[in-house]
Amino acid sequence: MFCGETIISEGLSGSQLSFKFIIRSVRTGGIIMFRLALCGKNCELLEKIKSHIQSFVETYKNETKCILIEQYKKLASLRDDIVDGIHFDILMVEIDAHPHEDFRLLSEIRKTATDTIVILFSKFLDYDFTRLGYQVGAFRYLSTHNLFSDLPEALCTALEISSEKQRGYYTFSHYSEIIRIPLDDVLYVKRVNRITMIKAKNGNFHLQLPLKEIYKEINDSRFLFIDRSCFVNIDHVTCFADAEVKLDNQESLPISHSNFTAIRSVLLYKTPNEIQQPVR
C-alpha cells in the first residue's frame, strides 16, 4: 500500500521548477529512489504529465519508494545541471518545431548521462525521430496526441530498467537530497560511535542506520564482515594477514580471529592472483 505527498521547492530560477512526489511504502528494505527530469515549453502540458505520473506511481506495484521530479522549461538548463553532476534516471523531453537544436543538446547530455533513459514526446509527427533519436539513445517516442494512453507502459518499463540499474548503487536520503553511491566505489562500511560510516572513493558518508541493516540493503556477495563492526568490499582488498586486511587506498583494517578463516577462503577463491597471502 502506498501513499504520497507533493513538495514544492522554492527559490529556483525562472527556467526551472521543481516538485517531488514521494511514495512512502509500508514495506521494509533498501530505499529505491528515482529522479525524473521533465522538460518542455508547454507548461500546461507539463502540469498534466505531472498529474498523470502522480496517479500512475500511486498504483505502481513495485519496489518504488520515492520519485523526485524536476521540471525544466529549457533543455539547455537541464543540460547544464547534468554536466554539473546532477543525476537523473529518466528524462522526458518535449521536442518542438526545431528539433535539431534539441537533439544537439540531447547529444551533449548523453555524453555525461550515459545510462539515463530518454523518453521523447512531440506533437510534430513528420520528423524522423527514429534516426535522430537513435543518435541520442532514445528509449521511447511518444506522440502528444496519444501521450496519456502510451505513457503508462513507457514509464513502467523505464522504472523496471532503472530498478535493475540501481542494484549497482546504494541509495539513501540525506535531508532533501538523494545520494547514490556506486557499490564498486564503496571500500568498507564501519560502525563508529553509534554512527555508520560508508567509506567510498569520493568521500565518507555518515548514516544513522544499523550496520546490519545497510549490509542487508546492499545485498552484494562482494561485501564481507571482517569483524562485528565492519564489512569490506573484497574487490578493494589487496593483502590480508592474521590481524588485518589492506585495501587499495592503503588503509588497513583489523580482522577478528573468529572471521579470519572464512575471510581467507573467500578472498583466495575470488581473486587468487590479485591478493597477497599472509607472510608467516
Side-chain angles (χ1 to χ4, degrees), residues 64-263:
T64 305
K65 299 288 184 68
C66 180
I67 290 185
L68 280 73
I69 303 175
E70 293 200 23
Q71 185 173 321
Y72 293 81
K73 291 181 180 179
K74 296 181 179 179
L75 187 54
S77 299
L78 174 58
R79 184 271 317 272
D80 292 343
D81 279 354
I82 290 175
V83 170
D84 287 343
I86 296 178
H87 173 84
F88 292 100
D89 299 286
I90 302 170
L91 306 182
M92 286 191 62
V93 178
E94 181 183 18
I95 304 299
D96 63 15
H98 305 285
H100 292 286
E101 175 63 14
D102 292 334
F103 280 103
R104 183 187 68 80
L105 292 168
L106 284 169
S107 296
E108 295 180 9
I109 288 172
R110 181 55 82 190
K111 292 176 183 178
T112 301
T114 56
D115 63 345
T116 297
I117 295 173
V118 176
I119 298 174
L120 305 177
F121 61 97
S122 177
K123 66 179 180 180
F124 301 100
L125 303 180
D126 54 336
Y127 293 133
D128 186 4
F129 277 6
T130 301
R131 179 179 61 83
L132 295 173
Y134 178 80
Q135 297 173 1
V136 298
F139 173 70
R140 285 285 192 279
Y141 318 92
L142 304 179
S143 166
T144 53
H145 301 292
N146 304 312
L147 181 60
F148 298 108
S149 60
D150 294 341
L151 182 57
E153 183 278 332
L155 192 58
C156 181
T157 306
L159 289 174
E160 290 175 357
I161 294 172
S162 294
S163 294
E164 288 298 317
K165 291 180 178 180
Q166 285 212 28
R167 296 183 189 278
Y169 294 84
Y170 182 71
T171 304
F172 61 95
S173 60
H174 180 71
Y175 297 100
S176 61
E177 297 296 320
I178 302 300
I179 298 174
R180 289 159 42 100
I181 309 173
L183 294 183
D184 290 345
D185 292 351
V186 177
L187 281 72
Y188 62 86
V189 184
K190 187 175 183 178
R191 190 72 174 172
V192 182
N193 297 327
R194 298 185 179 182
I195 297 294
T196 301
M197 182 188 73
I198 299 177
K199 178 72 173 184
K201 287 183 178 180
N202 61 336
N204 300 336
F205 302 88
H206 298 88
L207 290 76
Q208 291 183 325
L209 292 173
L211 185 68
K212 290 185 178 180
E213 181 176 328
I214 295 176
Y215 180 79
K216 182 179 179 180
E217 291 174 355
I218 288 177
N219 190 28
D220 190 307
S221 60
R222 293 175 296 171
F223 291 86
L224 187 68
F225 273 96
I226 57 173
D227 65 33
R228 62 187 302 176
S229 65
C230 180
F231 60 86
V232 301
N233 184 344
I234 61 176
D235 285 351
H236 292 286
V237 175
T238 59
C239 179
F240 73 95
D242 289 42
E244 64 182 20
V245 291
K246 189 171 182 178
L247 306 179
D248 53 17
N249 69 339
Q250 304 306 312
E251 283 191 69
S252 295
L253 299 171
I255 307 173
S256 68
H257 178 74
S258 60
N259 286 344
F260 177 77
T261 300
I263 292 168

